[in-house]
Every structure is written in C-alpha cells, then in structure tokens.
Short mmCIF file of all heavy atoms in Angstrom, two decimals:
data_model
loop_
_atom_site.label_atom_id
_atom_site.label_comp_id
_atom_site.label_asym_id
_atom_site.label_seq_id
_atom_site.Cartn_x
_atom_site.Cartn_y
_atom_site.Cartn_z
N SER A 1 -6.97 2.84 -3.90
CA SER A 1 -6.39 4.00 -3.19
C SER A 1 -4.85 3.75 -2.97
O SER A 1 -4.14 4.67 -2.96
CB SER A 1 -7.11 4.20 -1.90
OG SER A 1 -6.59 5.28 -1.23
N ALA A 2 -4.49 2.48 -2.50
CA ALA A 2 -3.20 2.13 -2.28
C ALA A 2 -2.38 2.33 -3.58
O ALA A 2 -1.08 2.87 -3.45
CB ALA A 2 -3.08 0.80 -1.65
N LEU A 3 -2.79 1.80 -4.61
CA LEU A 3 -2.08 1.91 -5.91
C LEU A 3 -1.83 3.42 -6.28
O LEU A 3 -0.77 3.71 -6.72
CB LEU A 3 -2.80 1.18 -7.02
CG LEU A 3 -2.86 -0.35 -6.90
CD1 LEU A 3 -3.82 -1.01 -8.00
CD2 LEU A 3 -1.52 -1.03 -6.94
N HIS A 4 -2.85 4.14 -6.10
CA HIS A 4 -2.81 5.58 -6.45
C HIS A 4 -1.73 6.24 -5.59
O HIS A 4 -0.87 7.05 -6.14
CB HIS A 4 -4.08 6.21 -6.30
CG HIS A 4 -4.11 7.68 -6.61
ND1 HIS A 4 -3.85 8.22 -7.86
CD2 HIS A 4 -4.14 8.80 -5.74
CE1 HIS A 4 -3.94 9.55 -7.78
NE2 HIS A 4 -4.01 9.99 -6.51
N TYR A 5 -1.67 5.97 -4.38
CA TYR A 5 -0.81 6.54 -3.40
C TYR A 5 0.60 6.22 -3.82
O TYR A 5 1.50 7.04 -3.81
CB TYR A 5 -1.08 6.11 -2.00
CG TYR A 5 -0.16 6.82 -0.99
CD1 TYR A 5 -0.47 8.00 -0.48
CD2 TYR A 5 1.03 6.13 -0.51
CE1 TYR A 5 0.27 8.72 0.44
CE2 TYR A 5 1.86 6.87 0.51
CZ TYR A 5 1.47 8.15 0.90
OH TYR A 5 2.29 8.72 1.72
N ILE A 6 0.86 4.97 -4.01
CA ILE A 6 2.27 4.48 -4.52
C ILE A 6 2.66 5.22 -5.77
O ILE A 6 3.77 5.78 -6.02
CB ILE A 6 2.25 2.83 -4.72
CG1 ILE A 6 2.08 2.20 -3.44
CG2 ILE A 6 3.54 2.57 -5.45
CD1 ILE A 6 1.78 0.71 -3.69
N ASP A 7 1.79 5.21 -6.85
CA ASP A 7 1.99 5.87 -8.09
C ASP A 7 2.41 7.27 -8.01
O ASP A 7 3.26 7.87 -8.80
CB ASP A 7 0.94 5.67 -9.09
CG ASP A 7 0.67 4.18 -9.41
OD1 ASP A 7 1.49 3.35 -9.01
OD2 ASP A 7 -0.39 3.97 -10.04
N THR A 8 1.80 8.03 -6.98
CA THR A 8 2.07 9.49 -6.87
C THR A 8 3.14 9.80 -5.80
O THR A 8 3.35 10.98 -5.55
CB THR A 8 0.74 10.12 -6.57
OG1 THR A 8 0.12 9.60 -5.41
CG2 THR A 8 -0.17 10.09 -7.76
N HIS A 9 3.76 8.81 -5.27
CA HIS A 9 4.79 9.03 -4.26
C HIS A 9 6.08 8.24 -4.50
O HIS A 9 6.83 7.87 -3.57
CB HIS A 9 4.23 8.69 -2.88
CG HIS A 9 3.23 9.67 -2.38
ND1 HIS A 9 1.89 9.67 -2.82
CD2 HIS A 9 3.25 10.75 -1.48
CE1 HIS A 9 1.21 10.48 -2.24
NE2 HIS A 9 2.05 11.30 -1.52
N LEU A 10 6.25 7.86 -5.75
CA LEU A 10 7.41 6.90 -6.13
C LEU A 10 8.73 7.53 -5.76
O LEU A 10 9.60 6.73 -5.32
CB LEU A 10 7.43 6.63 -7.64
CG LEU A 10 6.30 5.66 -8.12
CD1 LEU A 10 6.48 5.53 -9.62
CD2 LEU A 10 6.47 4.27 -7.48
N GLU A 11 8.88 8.78 -5.80
CA GLU A 11 10.18 9.42 -5.48
C GLU A 11 10.56 9.45 -3.95
O GLU A 11 11.61 9.75 -3.55
CB GLU A 11 10.38 10.82 -6.08
CG GLU A 11 9.58 11.90 -5.41
CD GLU A 11 8.07 11.90 -5.80
OE1 GLU A 11 7.58 10.98 -6.45
OE2 GLU A 11 7.34 12.71 -5.31
N GLU A 12 9.44 9.15 -3.19
CA GLU A 12 9.59 9.13 -1.75
C GLU A 12 10.02 7.84 -1.20
O GLU A 12 9.87 6.74 -1.92
CB GLU A 12 8.37 9.68 -1.07
CG GLU A 12 8.07 11.13 -1.51
CD GLU A 12 6.67 11.55 -1.02
OE1 GLU A 12 6.14 10.94 -0.11
OE2 GLU A 12 6.06 12.50 -1.66
N GLU A 13 10.31 7.72 0.15
CA GLU A 13 10.58 6.44 0.76
C GLU A 13 9.26 5.78 1.15
O GLU A 13 8.55 6.29 1.99
CB GLU A 13 11.58 6.64 1.95
CG GLU A 13 12.05 5.29 2.45
CD GLU A 13 13.08 5.45 3.63
OE1 GLU A 13 13.65 6.47 3.72
OE2 GLU A 13 13.20 4.44 4.38
N LEU A 14 8.92 4.68 0.39
CA LEU A 14 7.61 4.08 0.59
C LEU A 14 7.75 2.87 1.60
O LEU A 14 8.61 2.00 1.25
CB LEU A 14 7.04 3.64 -0.68
CG LEU A 14 6.40 4.82 -1.53
CD1 LEU A 14 6.24 4.26 -3.02
CD2 LEU A 14 5.17 5.36 -1.02
N THR A 15 6.91 2.74 2.50
CA THR A 15 6.90 1.56 3.30
C THR A 15 5.55 1.02 3.46
O THR A 15 4.49 1.73 3.31
CB THR A 15 7.47 1.78 4.73
OG1 THR A 15 6.50 2.69 5.40
CG2 THR A 15 8.89 2.33 4.69
N LEU A 16 5.41 -0.33 3.70
CA LEU A 16 4.04 -0.93 3.79
C LEU A 16 3.31 -0.38 5.02
O LEU A 16 2.11 -0.04 4.96
CB LEU A 16 4.20 -2.44 3.95
CG LEU A 16 2.88 -3.27 4.04
CD1 LEU A 16 2.17 -3.09 2.73
CD2 LEU A 16 3.22 -4.70 4.32
N LYS A 17 4.14 -0.03 6.08
CA LYS A 17 3.48 0.59 7.24
C LYS A 17 2.97 1.90 7.04
O LYS A 17 1.74 2.18 7.40
CB LYS A 17 4.55 0.63 8.37
CG LYS A 17 4.08 1.10 9.70
CD LYS A 17 5.18 1.07 10.76
CE LYS A 17 4.67 1.53 12.14
NZ LYS A 17 4.40 3.01 12.19
N GLU A 18 3.60 2.81 6.28
CA GLU A 18 3.12 4.01 5.94
C GLU A 18 1.88 3.91 5.06
O GLU A 18 0.99 4.71 5.23
CB GLU A 18 4.20 4.88 5.19
CG GLU A 18 3.89 6.32 4.75
CD GLU A 18 4.86 6.73 3.79
OE1 GLU A 18 5.93 6.21 3.58
OE2 GLU A 18 4.53 7.82 3.22
N LEU A 19 1.95 3.12 4.00
CA LEU A 19 0.88 2.92 3.20
C LEU A 19 -0.46 2.41 4.02
O LEU A 19 -1.53 2.99 3.68
CB LEU A 19 1.11 2.00 2.00
CG LEU A 19 0.01 1.63 1.04
CD1 LEU A 19 -0.35 2.93 0.33
CD2 LEU A 19 0.59 0.64 0.09
N ALA A 20 -0.17 1.47 4.82
CA ALA A 20 -1.27 0.97 5.68
C ALA A 20 -1.91 2.03 6.49
O ALA A 20 -3.23 2.16 6.57
CB ALA A 20 -0.82 -0.13 6.51
N GLU A 21 -1.10 2.89 7.02
CA GLU A 21 -1.67 4.04 7.82
C GLU A 21 -2.51 4.99 6.95
O GLU A 21 -3.56 5.42 7.41
CB GLU A 21 -0.54 4.82 8.55
CG GLU A 21 0.13 4.12 9.67
CD GLU A 21 1.38 4.86 10.14
OE1 GLU A 21 1.71 5.94 9.67
OE2 GLU A 21 2.00 4.31 11.19
N HIS A 22 -2.01 5.19 5.76
CA HIS A 22 -2.69 6.16 4.82
C HIS A 22 -4.08 5.63 4.51
O HIS A 22 -5.06 6.46 4.29
CB HIS A 22 -1.87 6.32 3.56
CG HIS A 22 -2.51 7.19 2.53
ND1 HIS A 22 -2.59 8.57 2.63
CD2 HIS A 22 -3.17 6.94 1.31
CE1 HIS A 22 -3.31 9.10 1.62
NE2 HIS A 22 -3.53 8.07 0.76
N ILE A 23 -4.23 4.35 4.32
CA ILE A 23 -5.53 3.75 3.86
C ILE A 23 -6.27 3.19 5.07
O ILE A 23 -7.29 2.45 4.76
CB ILE A 23 -5.43 2.85 2.68
CG1 ILE A 23 -4.69 1.63 2.99
CG2 ILE A 23 -4.93 3.50 1.38
CD1 ILE A 23 -4.68 0.57 1.97
N HIS A 24 -5.72 3.34 6.25
CA HIS A 24 -6.38 2.86 7.50
C HIS A 24 -6.58 1.34 7.49
O HIS A 24 -7.76 0.85 7.72
CB HIS A 24 -7.81 3.61 7.69
CG HIS A 24 -7.65 5.10 7.51
ND1 HIS A 24 -6.94 5.85 8.38
CD2 HIS A 24 -8.16 5.97 6.60
CE1 HIS A 24 -7.02 7.12 8.02
NE2 HIS A 24 -7.72 7.23 6.90
N LEU A 25 -5.59 0.63 7.27
CA LEU A 25 -5.60 -0.82 7.43
C LEU A 25 -4.50 -1.30 8.19
O LEU A 25 -3.37 -0.63 8.25
CB LEU A 25 -5.52 -1.46 6.00
CG LEU A 25 -6.79 -1.51 5.14
CD1 LEU A 25 -6.54 -2.32 3.82
CD2 LEU A 25 -7.92 -2.24 5.90
N ASN A 26 -4.62 -2.58 8.68
CA ASN A 26 -3.45 -3.10 9.46
C ASN A 26 -2.39 -3.56 8.33
O ASN A 26 -2.74 -4.13 7.30
CB ASN A 26 -3.98 -4.34 10.14
CG ASN A 26 -2.88 -5.19 10.83
OD1 ASN A 26 -2.32 -6.07 10.04
ND2 ASN A 26 -2.70 -5.00 12.09
N PRO A 27 -1.05 -3.28 8.60
CA PRO A 27 -0.03 -3.66 7.57
C PRO A 27 -0.12 -5.08 7.18
O PRO A 27 0.07 -5.41 5.94
CB PRO A 27 1.23 -3.37 8.35
CG PRO A 27 0.83 -2.26 9.30
CD PRO A 27 -0.55 -2.57 9.73
N SER A 28 -0.33 -6.06 8.10
CA SER A 28 -0.25 -7.48 7.76
C SER A 28 -1.44 -7.73 6.81
O SER A 28 -1.34 -8.53 5.88
CB SER A 28 -0.26 -8.33 8.99
OG SER A 28 0.75 -8.08 9.83
N TYR A 29 -2.63 -7.18 7.17
CA TYR A 29 -3.79 -7.48 6.43
C TYR A 29 -3.67 -6.83 5.04
O TYR A 29 -4.02 -7.42 4.00
CB TYR A 29 -5.06 -6.96 7.10
CG TYR A 29 -6.30 -7.07 6.31
CD1 TYR A 29 -6.79 -8.38 5.93
CD2 TYR A 29 -7.05 -6.01 5.90
CE1 TYR A 29 -7.94 -8.54 5.24
CE2 TYR A 29 -8.23 -6.11 5.10
CZ TYR A 29 -8.63 -7.47 4.84
OH TYR A 29 -9.83 -7.71 4.19
N LEU A 30 -3.07 -5.65 4.98
CA LEU A 30 -2.88 -4.96 3.69
C LEU A 30 -1.94 -5.76 2.77
O LEU A 30 -2.21 -5.88 1.53
CB LEU A 30 -2.26 -3.57 3.91
CG LEU A 30 -1.77 -2.86 2.65
CD1 LEU A 30 -2.99 -2.63 1.56
CD2 LEU A 30 -1.18 -1.46 2.95
N SER A 31 -0.93 -6.27 3.22
CA SER A 31 0.09 -7.19 2.58
C SER A 31 -0.62 -8.27 1.95
O SER A 31 -0.41 -8.60 0.77
CB SER A 31 1.10 -7.69 3.50
OG SER A 31 2.09 -8.56 2.86
N VAL A 32 -1.51 -9.01 2.65
CA VAL A 32 -2.35 -10.08 2.13
C VAL A 32 -3.23 -9.72 1.03
O VAL A 32 -3.33 -10.26 0.02
CB VAL A 32 -3.07 -10.92 3.25
CG1 VAL A 32 -3.95 -11.91 2.73
CG2 VAL A 32 -2.00 -11.48 4.23
N LEU A 33 -3.98 -8.67 1.33
CA LEU A 33 -4.96 -8.14 0.41
C LEU A 33 -4.38 -7.61 -0.84
O LEU A 33 -4.93 -7.80 -1.96
CB LEU A 33 -5.80 -6.95 1.13
CG LEU A 33 -7.12 -6.68 0.66
CD1 LEU A 33 -8.11 -7.75 0.80
CD2 LEU A 33 -7.65 -5.39 1.35
N PHE A 34 -3.31 -7.02 -0.75
CA PHE A 34 -2.51 -6.37 -1.86
C PHE A 34 -2.12 -7.54 -2.75
O PHE A 34 -2.28 -7.51 -4.00
CB PHE A 34 -1.28 -5.54 -1.47
CG PHE A 34 -0.68 -4.74 -2.41
CD1 PHE A 34 -1.03 -3.42 -2.48
CD2 PHE A 34 0.22 -5.20 -3.30
CE1 PHE A 34 -0.48 -2.50 -3.44
CE2 PHE A 34 0.76 -4.33 -4.31
CZ PHE A 34 0.43 -2.96 -4.38
N LYS A 35 -1.43 -8.61 -2.28
CA LYS A 35 -1.01 -9.68 -3.06
C LYS A 35 -2.19 -10.38 -3.67
O LYS A 35 -2.13 -10.86 -4.89
CB LYS A 35 -0.26 -10.68 -2.12
CG LYS A 35 0.38 -11.89 -2.89
CD LYS A 35 1.53 -11.44 -3.83
CE LYS A 35 2.17 -12.53 -4.51
NZ LYS A 35 1.88 -13.86 -4.59
N GLU A 36 -3.25 -10.53 -2.98
CA GLU A 36 -4.52 -11.23 -3.37
C GLU A 36 -5.17 -10.54 -4.66
O GLU A 36 -5.57 -11.21 -5.64
CB GLU A 36 -5.49 -11.36 -2.35
CG GLU A 36 -6.66 -12.15 -2.64
CD GLU A 36 -7.51 -12.24 -1.35
OE1 GLU A 36 -7.35 -13.04 -0.38
OE2 GLU A 36 -8.47 -11.40 -1.25
N GLN A 37 -5.10 -9.21 -4.54
CA GLN A 37 -5.82 -8.50 -5.62
C GLN A 37 -4.91 -7.89 -6.78
O GLN A 37 -5.37 -7.81 -7.90
CB GLN A 37 -6.57 -7.31 -5.02
CG GLN A 37 -7.78 -7.74 -4.10
CD GLN A 37 -8.58 -6.62 -3.67
OE1 GLN A 37 -8.77 -5.63 -4.31
NE2 GLN A 37 -9.22 -6.77 -2.43
N VAL A 38 -3.69 -7.69 -6.41
CA VAL A 38 -2.80 -7.00 -7.35
C VAL A 38 -1.91 -8.21 -8.02
O VAL A 38 -1.39 -8.08 -9.12
CB VAL A 38 -1.87 -6.03 -6.82
CG1 VAL A 38 -0.93 -5.37 -7.81
CG2 VAL A 38 -2.71 -4.86 -6.20
N HIS A 39 -1.80 -9.35 -7.37
CA HIS A 39 -0.98 -10.51 -7.85
C HIS A 39 0.56 -10.16 -7.84
O HIS A 39 1.22 -10.76 -8.66
CB HIS A 39 -1.46 -10.91 -9.11
CG HIS A 39 -2.92 -11.38 -9.12
ND1 HIS A 39 -3.41 -12.43 -8.38
CD2 HIS A 39 -3.99 -10.84 -9.74
CE1 HIS A 39 -4.76 -12.60 -8.63
NE2 HIS A 39 -5.09 -11.58 -9.33
N LEU A 40 0.86 -9.12 -7.15
CA LEU A 40 2.30 -8.72 -6.89
C LEU A 40 2.41 -8.31 -5.44
O LEU A 40 1.47 -7.86 -4.85
CB LEU A 40 2.73 -7.54 -7.73
CG LEU A 40 2.92 -7.77 -9.22
CD1 LEU A 40 3.10 -6.31 -9.88
CD2 LEU A 40 4.05 -8.67 -9.57
N THR A 41 3.49 -8.63 -4.86
CA THR A 41 3.70 -8.07 -3.47
C THR A 41 3.81 -6.56 -3.51
O THR A 41 4.10 -5.99 -4.66
CB THR A 41 5.00 -8.64 -2.72
OG1 THR A 41 6.15 -8.14 -3.55
CG2 THR A 41 4.93 -10.15 -2.76
#
C-alpha cells in the first residue's frame, strides 16, 4: 500500500510522516519495515 501511494503521488511533496499516517503506522516503525522489505530507504 505504501509503494502504491508513493508511485501515484510522485509529483507531490512526499514525507515519511504523511505516508505513515496514510497507512496507519508509526513513522519510525514504517521506516524500519520499509527498509527491511523493500531493501531501500
């Protein structure tokens, strides 16, 4: 869901905080989870 949101909002100002709110996760936890599963920050 996070990847889809990024891909469809590239022209907008994207922040980790905003993304975390969108998928209902804590920003710090999302950061760790994202790196762990996507292998990119």
Side-chain angles (χ1 to χ4, degrees):
S1 178
L3 292 173
H4 177 72
Y5 185 83
I6 293 168
D7 296 349
T8 53
H9 292 78
L10 284 175
E11 72 282 3
E12 300 170 19
E13 189 172 341
L14 287 165
T15 65
L16 185 64
K17 184 175 181 291
E18 177 193 351
L19 180 61
E21 286 175 2
H22 177 74
I23 62 171
H24 310 295
L25 282 181
N26 173 279
S28 298
Y29 179 58
L30 172 59
S31 178
V32 172
L33 202 63
F34 196 95
K35 182 69 175 9
E36 187 179 275
Q37 295 188 28
V38 179
H39 304 293
L40 288 171
T41 65

